[in-house]
Amino acid sequence: MSYDVVVAGGGTAGVAAAVGAARDGAKVLLLERHGCLGGAAAVRNVLTLCGLYTLGEGTRTVVGGIGAEVLSALQKRGAVTPPMRFRGVFSAFEPEAMKLVLDELTQGAGVDVRFGCFVTGAVRGADRMRSVTYADHGGTVTVEAGAFVDCTGDGDLAHAAGASTRYGNADGVNLGTLGTRFGGIPREVTVTAPQVIEAVAGMGFAPGAVTKDRCVIVRLPGSGDMVLYLASADYDPRDAASLSRAEMDARRQAWAYLDAIRTIDGCSGAYLVSTGPEIGTRESRHLNCRHQLTWAEIEARASFPDCIALGAWGAEWHDRASYTSSFDYPPEKGAYEIPLSCLHSVDTDNLFCAGRLADGDRKGGAAIRVMGTAMATGQAAGIAAALTSRGAFSAAAVRDRLAAAGAILTADALV
Ligand SMILES: Cc1cc2nc3c(=O)[nH]c(=O)nc-3n(C[C@H](O)[C@H](O)[C@H](O)COP(=O)(O)OP(=O)(O)OC[C@H]3O[C@@H](n4cnc5c(N)ncnc54)[C@H](O)[C@@H]3O)c2cc1C
C-alpha cells in the first residue's frame, strides 16, 4: 500500500490534518486506534472546545478553516453552545454529534479512514520517513507514504520512527485527568464551582481519596449532562502498568465525586453517565521541531514569517504534585502567532505533527494544545505534508493554501 500522506491519530488535530491534506490533492490514510474520530472529544469526555476565541471582553474568533467548519456543522445540529466563560472562553458540545461531524468531514474529503489500527512501527532513513506499520485484528500492515503527520498525542509514530522526541518538558509534565459525565441533574438546577468545592469538603474524604476539588462546571447542550474534570492521577502514559493504575484510581474517584455531588441541592438524583472512557493525558511526548514556541514569545506577541495558525488560550497548568491549577492569560487576552516550524520535525524532513504534540516549552505547550488550536495546527500540518509529498513544500506555499482555505493568520487585530 502506498499513500501520499499518512496521518496517525484521529483526534481533532488528526482529522484536520487528514482533511487539509486530502483537499490539497493528496491521497490520505488516517489511522486511528479507536472506533471513532475525535480523540479526547470522543473518548476522554473533553467536551469543551477551547482556543477558538480570544479571552477578553469582546470575544473574537481566531480559528477559521476546518475548525470553523466543525463548529458550524455542530451548530446546525444544535449540538454546541454559544461561547461561555470560566477562566477562558469555550463552547460545550455533544460528543455523539462531534463523532458524526468528523466522519462526514473526512468522508467528504475522500480520506481513507481506518479504525482499530494501532501504530506500532515505522521506518526512517537518514532524514526521511519511509513507512508506517500498524496492527489490526488481521495482523500487521506496512504502508509507504511521501509524508507523515503524527497526531497521536503521545508521539507514537515519531517515536517508532526514531525521530527526535522528548517526554513533556524538563520543568514539568501537565497532569492527566479523567473527564466524568453526570446525568440526573435537572436543567433548572445550576451547579456552581463553590458548591462543588463545599460538597467535596463536606464528605470528609481520607487524604488521597480524591485529588481535585475545583474545575470548570460544564452542562452539555443536548442532554444537559454535567461534565467535570476532577479525578486526576500522576502517571506515565507510555507505561501500561502506570496508565492502568491511573485509570482504575481515577474511576474510583469518579464514584466518590458522585457521592459528593448528590449532596448538592437539587442533585440527589445524579448518576454517573460515563467516565472517559479513558483517562485524559494532557501532555506526553512532543516532537522536537525546528522551533520551540515559548511562553516568552507568546507574551511578547512574537511575529513569525511562517505563522500558520493563531492561538488564544492561556498557559493552563495542572500540577502533578499538588493537583492545583493555574492559568496565565496571553497578553491583552488576545491572539498570538504559531509558526509552522514548531510542527516540523527537527531531523526528519517529511514528518510533521499537530495538536498536543506540537513543540512548545512548558507554558507555551500548555497554551497551544487545546482542541480549537489543534484543528488549526492540524490543517497546517496536513497541507505541509501534502506539499512535501509532491516536492513542493515551502512555508509560503502552506500559508497561501491556508489563507485560501479560510484560515485566520493575522493576530494584530484580534484582541
Ligand atoms: C482532562 C482534560 C481536559 C481538557 N480540557 C480541554 C478543554 O476544555 N478544551 C480543549 O479544547 N482542550 C482541552 N484539553 C486538551 C485537549 O483535549 C487536547 O490537547 C486535544 O484533544 C489535542 O488534540 P489531539 O488531536 O492532538 O490529541 P487527542 O485528542 O488525544 O487525539 C489523539 C488521537 O490519536 C489516537 N492514537 C494515539 N495513539 C495512537 C496509535 N499508536 N495508533 C493509532 N492511533 C493513536 C488516539 O486514539 C486519539 O484519537 C483537555 C485535556 C484533558 C486531558
Side-chain angles (χ1 to χ4, degrees), residues 194-216:
Q195 280 179 308
V196 171
I197 293 167
E198 193 184 326
V200 171
M203 295 300 290
F205 289 125
V210 294
T211 40
K212 275 178 173 280
D213 66 356
R214 61 203 67 196
C215 70
V216 60

Side-chain angles (χ1 to χ4, degrees), residues 15-339:
V15 166
V19 171
R23 286 184 183 165
D24 202 56
K27 185 183 171 203
V28 181
L29 176 67
L30 174 56
L31 300 172
E32 167 54 48
R33 69 187 162 122
H34 288 302
C36 61
L37 299 172
V43 296
R44 294 179 166 182
N45 267 338
V46 177
L47 304 180
T48 37
L49 276 170
C50 300
L52 293 175
Y53 316 103
T54 55
L55 308 184
E57 283 307 311
T59 293
R60 311 278 295 274
T61 298
V62 305
V63 177
I66 291 167
E69 279 179 57
V70 169
L71 187 64
S72 162
L74 291 170
Q75 283 165 341
K76 281 185 191 134
R77 292 182 178 278
V80 65
T81 66
M84 300 189 288
R85 202 173 275 277
F86 180 57
R87 288 184 293 201
V89 180
F90 57 87
S91 287
F93 59 90
E94 288 289 345
E96 288 305 325
M98 178 65 96
K99 289 187 208 171
L100 192 67
V101 162
L102 300 184
D103 281 348
E104 289 171 351
L105 196 64
T106 48
Q107 283 173 321
V111 175
D112 282 352
V113 176
R114 297 288 180 270
F115 292 130
C117 297
F118 199 103
V119 169
T120 55
V123 173
R124 173 175 167 271
D127 55 7
R128 291 182 77 79
M129 270 188 69
R130 295 200 190 116
S131 65
V132 55
T133 299
Y134 63 85
D136 63 13
H137 288 297
T140 57
V141 180
T142 295
V143 182
E144 293 182 347
F148 299 81
V149 189
D150 190 340
C151 294
T152 60
D154 289 288
D156 289 6
L157 174 65
H159 175 70
S164 177
T165 62
R166 68 180 188 282
Y167 178 60
N169 283 298
D171 54 348
V173 186
N174 224 328
L175 177 70
T177 299
L178 179 69
T180 307
R181 182 168 163 180
F182 301 93
I185 302 170
R187 282 173 192 277
E188 63 276 14
V189 172
T190 301
V191 179
T192 65
Q195 280 179 308
V196 171
I197 293 167
E198 193 184 326
V200 171
M203 295 300 290
F205 289 125
V210 294
T211 40
K212 275 178 173 280
D213 66 356
R214 61 203 67 196
C215 70
V216 60
I217 315 278
V218 182
R219 298 298 287 267
L220 298 185
S223 58
D225 286 353
M226 180 170 78
V227 176
L228 299 177
Y229 309 127
L230 287 172
S232 300
D234 180 5
Y235 63 97
D236 183 341
R238 300 167 300 173
D239 171 13
S242 173
L243 179 65
S244 304
R245 278 193 299 273
E247 294 276 14
M248 289 190 197
D249 184 55
R251 255 195 302 279
R252 179 196 55 71
Q253 289 183 53
W255 286 93
Y257 286 120
L258 174 64
D259 290 341
I261 287 158
R262 283 179 171 159
T263 67
I264 297 172
D265 276 353
C267 298
S268 59
Y271 59 90
L272 202 50
V273 176
S274 74
T275 57
E278 63 181 23
I279 196 166
T281 301
R282 284 191 179 82
E283 186 175 22
S284 178
R285 290 193 191 93
H286 292 278
L287 187 65
N288 285 323
C289 289
R290 289 160 200 223
H291 182 80
Q292 181 178 90
L293 183 66
T294 66
W295 182 249
E297 287 168 331
I298 291 173
E299 285 199 303
R301 301 195 78 198
S303 184
F304 300 98
D306 62 339
C307 166
I308 41 70
L310 301 183
W313 199 245
E316 181 187 333
W317 189 257
H318 301 263
D319 190 71
R320 284 180 175 238
S322 65
Y323 298 111
T324 56
S325 306
S326 61
F327 192 92
D328 291 1
Y329 287 91
E332 301 174 73
K333 296 187 176 174
Y336 49 86
E337 296 191 358
I338 302 171

